[in-house]
């Protein structure tokens, strides 16, 4: 992974869980929690939102890259937060925790500039939501994209079904969300979930080619993105509605007997 230099305004450093940089019209946010396969903690979610605040107000930014350090893009929400939420998923505290993670990828998906997610290794659960929130997903042929919720007896959350549906249609969304299928990077491109699959060594050049024009003319890019969101629209229901449709059923699934012991499921699973 390319070394990231942190932006003083955004915070971050070599040991921080989120690294951010802005240069030549391109902003980059890098998940930096590789020991837990970049599972999203509440602190990371807050930093992602702060990064999005900066992108929204800085009109010199014309494109955003979302990537991760380590061998795995994102294994979902941090299991320690999920364990706390599972005890009483309808409590205000639990709703606040899950909403914070949901908000992180909703903010990425609502930015006024094109966003490119670079997904190496794999993405599962909320990690797949984050990857799908981006406008363009770049993968390697070997990348594994996995819904992951039903395999853990949890209803999808965060608008997961809607995000799958807008990329893959009904059959693809059901195959992953309900039937527990996963896709390689190559299959994801063939089915419309990802834009392009390239070898890991070719990712920097591919991302540069994808973002070059947008980063060079941020004013035009932002106007194009405004038109695109108006013309192409959100999923079949609004993303906000999808969050609420899934929220209650996910709470029910998390509250069922046995879901309080997340530690047995391994790190970073969601």
């Amino acid at each position: 992974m390319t070394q990231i230099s942190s932006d003083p305004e955004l915070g971050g450093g070599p040991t921080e869980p989120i690294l951010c940089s802005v240069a030549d019209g391109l902003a980059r946010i890098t998940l930096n929690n590789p020991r837990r396969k970049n599972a999203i903690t509440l602190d990371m979610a807050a930093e992602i939102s702060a990064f999005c605040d900066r992108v929204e107000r800085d009109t010199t930014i014309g494109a955003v890259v979302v990537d991760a350090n380590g061998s795995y893009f994102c294994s979902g929400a941090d299991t320690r937060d999920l364990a706390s939420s599972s005890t009483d998923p309808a409590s205000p505290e639990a709703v606040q925790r899950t909403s914070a993670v949901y908000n992180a990828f909703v903010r990425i998906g609502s930015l006024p500039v094109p966003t490119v997610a670079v997904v190496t290794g794999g993405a599962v659960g909320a990690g797949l939501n984050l990857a799908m929130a981006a406008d363009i997903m770049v993968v390697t042929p070997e990348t594994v994209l996995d819904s992951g919720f039903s395999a853990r007896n949890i209803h999808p959350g965060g608008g997961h079904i809607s995000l799958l549906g807008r990329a893959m249609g009904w059959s693809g969304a059901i195959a992953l969300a309900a039937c527990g299928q996963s896709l390689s990077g190559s299959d994801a491109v063939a089915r419309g979930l990802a834009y392009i699959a390239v070898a890991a060594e070719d990712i920097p050049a591919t991302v540069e080619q994808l973002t070059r024009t947008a980063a060079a003319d941020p004013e035009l890019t932002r106007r194009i993105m405004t038109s695109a969101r108006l013309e192409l629209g959100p999923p079949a229901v609004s993303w906000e509605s999808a969050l609420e449709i899934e929220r209650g059923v996910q709470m029910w699934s998390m509250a069922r007997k046995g879901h309080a012991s997340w530690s047995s499921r391994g790190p970073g699973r969601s």
Side-chain angles (χ1 to χ4, degrees):
M1 184 63 60
T2 303
Q3 182 66 35
I4 305 297
S5 59
S6 61
D7 185 322
E9 182 175 344
L10 294 169
T15 61
E16 295 297 319
I18 294 288
L19 304 178
C20 305
S21 65
V22 178
D24 301 322
L26 179 65
R28 184 182 297 264
I29 182 166
T30 300
L31 307 182
N32 190 37
N33 187 19
R35 287 181 297 178
R36 295 185 64 81
K37 292 186 176 181
N38 292 304
I40 302 171
T41 65
L42 295 180
D43 287 342
M44 291 169 70
E47 291 193 40
I48 292 171
S49 291
F51 169 83
C52 292
D53 288 341
R54 165 70 190 275
V55 173
E56 288 174 351
R57 69 174 180 264
D58 187 345
T59 57
T60 68
I61 295 172
V64 163
V65 173
V66 183
D67 61 12
N69 280 330
S71 60
Y72 199 91
F73 175 73
C74 183
S75 59
D78 191 276
T79 53
R80 293 164 294 191
D81 295 327
L82 287 171
S84 299
S85 298
S86 296
T87 303
D88 183 7
S91 69
E93 294 79 11
V95 170
Q96 185 177 17
R97 281 191 293 268
T98 55
S99 295
V101 175
Y102 292 168
N103 186 61
F105 44 79
V106 171
R107 292 294 306 280
I108 290 291
S110 304
L111 287 174
V113 299
T115 52
V116 179
V118 177
V119 184
T120 58
V124 63
L128 181 55
N129 283 351
L130 178 61
M132 292 190 294
D135 300 303
I136 299 169
M137 192 191 306
V138 176
V139 296
T140 67
E142 300 79 22
T143 296
V144 177
L145 303 176
D146 184 5
S147 173
F149 289 102
S150 61
R152 294 163 185 83
N153 306 114
I154 298 174
H155 189 281
H160 185 76
I161 298 168
S162 208
L163 289 168
L164 285 170
R166 76 175 184 177
M168 302 175 65
W170 175 273
S171 294
I174 299 305
L176 268 69
C179 299
Q181 300 300 295
S182 61
L183 295 176
S184 69
S186 297
D187 287 340
V189 172
R191 297 177 185 275
L193 185 58
Y195 177 69
I196 190 171
V198 298
E201 59 268 25
D202 295 328
I203 286 176
T206 299
V207 171
E208 196 279 331
Q209 191 274 330
L210 281 170
T211 58
R212 181 193 310 138
T213 298
D217 193 346
E219 183 178 18
L220 175 60
T221 298
R222 287 172 179 249
R223 290 178 180 269
I224 292 172
M225 289 302 296
T226 297
S227 296
R229 299 203 188 282
L230 289 171
E231 295 176 33
L232 301 177
V237 298
S238 70
W239 204 335
E240 291 78 9
S241 296
L243 294 181
E244 297 309 317
I245 289 169
E246 294 179 3
R247 185 191 302 277
V249 194
Q250 188 181 55
M251 289 176 183
W252 163 81
S253 67
M254 293 170 67
R256 290 188 302 172
K257 183 179 179 180
H259 279 291
S261 58
W262 280 89
S263 60
S264 65
R265 299 184 183 275
R269 295 288 189 171
S270 70

